[in-house]
Amino acid sequence: MRSRGLLVFLISLFLNFSLARADFSGLWVGEGSLHQGDLRSFPCTAFLEFRHSAVELETIQGQFDCQKVRIRSLSKIVAIIDGRLYYKNQLVGVIGVQDIFSSYWDFKAGWNHQFRLHRKDNFIRYFEQTTLADGREYYRIEAVLKLD
């Protein structure tokens, strides 16, 4: 648990927080790819919708259509306190001027989930990855989305 706090602290330094921040609100659409281990890669069309305020970030909806694979994002609200993201009172990530980073372990399921967004102008670069407890990658999604 102590290493998670150190990781979040180091990431927050890396992201160079300030009082100014990008607003991630809106509907974002674009294309990307889904990778499942080293074996398969599928092109994707994608959309994500966020509502972002000074105190919370809500994922309203999201979907990645990757040929025969469809991944939907569940509606979720995370609290923002001093540049840190909390879900159900648990620290899960950080938010900065143009970046969001979240990483958490599901010890019961035996996997780690990471999520990153980087905003530049009206575009965001999206990255999501789930790895198994032994370090093998389960899946990875990368996309570039534009504010619609």
Side-chain angles (χ1 to χ4, degrees), residues 4-145:
R4 180 183 296 173
L6 178 60
L7 174 66
V8 170
F9 173 75
L10 291 174
I11 290 168
S12 66
L13 286 177
F14 175 74
L15 293 177
N16 188 20
F17 288 109
S18 74
L19 294 175
R21 65 175 172 84
D23 185 356
F24 289 91
S25 292
L27 178 64
W28 300 84
V29 295
E31 297 179 346
S33 58
L34 166 69
H35 307 274
Q36 291 183 310
D38 294 331
L39 303 176
R40 295 183 276 177
S41 179
F42 304 100
C44 300
T45 58
F47 71 88
L48 290 168
E49 186 174 9
F50 297 106
R51 186 185 56 77
H52 183 188
S53 72
V55 296
E56 64 185 24
L57 177 68
E58 177 182 7
T59 304
I60 297 170
Q61 62 177 335
Q63 185 167 298
F64 289 83
D65 286 316
C66 312
Q67 293 181 348
K68 295 180 181 180
V69 178
R70 175 175 282 167
I71 298 171
R72 290 188 176 161
S73 295
L74 300 176
S75 178
K76 185 181 298 184
I77 297 175
V78 293
I80 302 171
I81 303 170
D82 296 328
R84 292 183 172 91
L85 301 174
Y86 294 87
Y87 180 67
K88 296 183 179 178
N89 296 319
Q90 180 180 351
L91 179 63
V92 294
V94 292
I95 186 166
V97 176
Q98 295 174 290
D99 299 278
I100 297 172
F101 177 81
S102 177
S103 179
Y104 59 89
W105 275 98
D106 184 326
F107 292 104
K108 290 180 184 176
W111 50 261
N112 174 261
H113 187 82
Q114 291 187 3
F115 169 83
R116 279 189 297 239
L117 285 178
H118 174 76
R119 179 172 180 170
K120 184 167 182 171
D121 302 321
N122 286 334
F123 292 91
I124 57 173
R125 185 167 299 276
Y126 177 92
F127 176 85
E128 179 180 346
Q129 179 179 34
T130 296
T131 52
L132 303 175
D134 63 8
R136 288 181 296 134
E137 181 179 85
Y138 182 63
Y139 77 87
R140 179 177 77 250
I141 299 173
E142 298 177 63
V144 174
L145 307 172

